[in-house]
Amino acid sequence: MVTTGAKDDGSWSQGGYEGLQLIAEEFNAEVTLAEMVGDEESEEYFRDYAAAGYDFIIAHSGGYIQSAEKVAEEFPRSKFAIVTTYPGNNKNLGAIAFRSGEVGYLSGALAAMTTETNKVAYIVGDSYPVYEEEAALFRKGALATKPDVEVATEFLKTWTDGEKGKEVVLGLAEQGFDRFAINADEAGIEALKAVTAAYDNVKIVGWTNDQYELAPDQVLTSMLQDLPRLVANSVDLLLQGKWEGKLYKFGLKEGIYSIAPFRGSLTEAQEAQFEDIKNQVMVGEIDISPN
């Protein structure tokens, strides 16, 4: 596996690393991790792993698509997986991804349901297709819940720069935004800490892991991703002979997504309303296509 952050970042890269450990345990596999690898450097790592005979190489970032495509073409007998929304090359390069529209919609609905200023925002690390879809569904969920709500989206263009995260979120809070869904790894964690320390009225929807302890009175809930299991599912598909260079998606129905406890952050009526929306999303009664 090659990943952009540290294996203990408390977010995306740590989830990937834990998935790698799950693969080692469940499939008795020899695994290796290269962490803190930038998009430009990734090609060298993929090529080295393929040349060393690794059967399966996991590119744990949407920013690695171009380098993975290039190396997969050079090593047709090796198999590659990108952990993002990507169609695959129909040969040896496929992808595993969350049905991210589900949590995009739900976080937007929750933000709109609870806002006191009528201004809600989604902040994400970068504008990969999967996060553009998530942002579109955040907007869709918010407007479906409260048609007159103002919705903002900010792509930080970084997952690690905490100062950038703080600058963006505090700027939005100054404009009156009081509900934020933040999906930006280390940069997002710093943003969450900064805005909740500065604004008592701000509430957060956390991402990937349960982020309640970062701001106990101001985290509404977190959109939990079982990232380790998602990563391990790729190897399960491989061993079943089903890895065909395509996109494989998992979500609420498969238990890959779940919602952290509300811990009293919602009224009973709001919690019932949210549960109803979630069930409609899960069974397909609500359209979660980006358009």
Side-chain angles (χ1 to χ4, degrees), residues 1-9 11-18 20 32-39 41-42 45-46 49 58-62 64 83 160 185-186 227 231:
M1 173 179 283
V2 181
T3 192
T4 52
K7 65 183 179 183
D8 58 355
D9 68 355
S11 192
W12 178 258
S13 294
Q14 181 172 330
Y17 172 70
E18 290 172 358
L20 198 63
T32 302
L33 173 72
E35 53 187 324
M36 305 296 291
V37 177
D39 295 350
E41 306 167 276
S42 60
Y45 283 88
F46 297 146
Y49 283 145
I58 301 171
H60 195 58
S61 169
Y64 293 158
V83 190
T160 57
D185 294 358
E186 295 104 312
L227 188 49
V231 169

Side-chain angles (χ1 to χ4, degrees), residues 182-203:
I182 303 179
N183 176 15
D185 294 358
E186 295 104 312
I189 289 171
E190 292 306 310
L192 187 160
K193 290 177 180 176
V195 75
T196 52
Y199 292 87
D200 291 340
N201 69 315
V202 164
K203 306 289 185 184

Side-chain angles (χ1 to χ4, degrees), residues 272-286:
Q273 181 185 0
F274 181 83
E275 188 66 22
D276 182 54
I277 294 170
K278 185 186 80 171
N279 289 336
Q280 290 183 66
V281 166
M282 190 158 54
V283 300
E285 291 179 4
I286 290 178

Side-chain angles (χ1 to χ4, degrees), residues 8 39-40 56 60 82 95 103-104 136 143 148 158 165 187 193 213 261-262 277 288 290:
D8 58 355
D39 295 350
E40 301 78 15
F56 199 54
H60 195 58
I82 300 177
V103 289
L143 292 173
D148 63 342
T158 178
K193 290 177 180 176
E213 295 297 337
F262 290 108
I277 294 170
I288 57 163

Side-chain angles (χ1 to χ4, degrees), residues 34-269:
E35 53 187 324
M36 305 296 291
V37 177
D39 295 350
E40 301 78 15
E41 306 167 276
S42 60
E43 182 181 325
E44 177 185 349
Y45 283 88
F46 297 146
R47 186 173 289 108
D48 287 348
Y49 283 145
Y54 281 86
D55 303 295
F56 199 54
I57 299 161
I58 301 171
H60 195 58
S61 169
Y64 293 158
I65 290 174
Q66 289 185 339
S67 54
E69 286 176 334
K70 185 174 181 180
V71 179
E73 189 71 27
E74 293 174 18
F75 291 87
R77 297 181 68 179
S78 298
K79 295 190 184 297
F80 298 78
I82 300 177
V83 190
T84 192
T85 298
Y86 170 77
N89 66 1
N90 291 312
K91 294 180 288 187
N92 63 330
L93 172 60
I96 45 169
F98 297 102
R99 281 196 292 274
S100 56
E102 295 179 343
V103 289
Y105 190 96
L106 291 175
S107 59
L110 182 59
M113 189 189 305
T114 60
T115 181
E116 296 171 354
T117 64
N118 216 36
K119 294 185 174 187
V120 304
Y122 171 79
I123 297 175
V124 67
D126 214 335
S127 56
Y128 307 149
V130 61
Y131 301 121
E132 290 177 355
E133 178 182 342
E134 221 164 60
L137 268 296
F138 177 88
R139 177 177 294 276
K140 191 171 186 176
L143 292 173
T145 305
K146 196 172 188 181
D148 63 342
V149 72
E150 182 178 343
V151 184
T153 297
E154 290 286 346
F155 296 101
L156 299 179
K157 300 298 181 181
T158 178
W159 298 94
T160 57
D161 186 346
E163 291 304 313
K164 179 66 180 294
K166 288 191 280 188
E167 176 190 337
V168 168
V169 76
L170 291 173
L172 287 168
E174 283 179 23
Q175 297 171 46
F177 287 83
D178 72 340
R179 296 295 181 269
F180 295 91
I182 303 179
N183 176 15
D185 294 358
E186 295 104 312
I189 289 171
E190 292 306 310
L192 187 160
K193 290 177 180 176
V195 75
T196 52
Y199 292 87
D200 291 340
N201 69 315
V202 164
K203 306 289 185 184
I204 305 292
V205 179
W207 222 267
T208 303
N209 298 315
D210 188 349
Q211 296 181 328
Y212 172 77
E213 295 297 337
L214 296 176
D217 295 326
Q218 291 172 260
V219 173
L220 293 169
T221 186
S222 298
M223 298 292 145
L224 304 180
Q225 301 172 323
D226 192 345
L227 188 49
R229 175 51 55 192
L230 179 73
V231 169
N233 279 354
S234 66
V235 173
D236 193 34
L237 288 167
L238 176 74
L239 295 178
Q240 292 179 45
K242 295 179 179 178
W243 193 257
E244 299 174 347
K246 298 177 181 178
L247 172 62
Y248 302 88
K249 281 193 170 187
F250 303 86
L252 288 166
K253 192 183 298 183
E254 296 86 5
I256 295 295
Y257 273 135
S258 59
I259 313 298
F262 290 108
R263 301 181 177 95
S265 64
L266 302 185
T267 66
E268 285 188 18

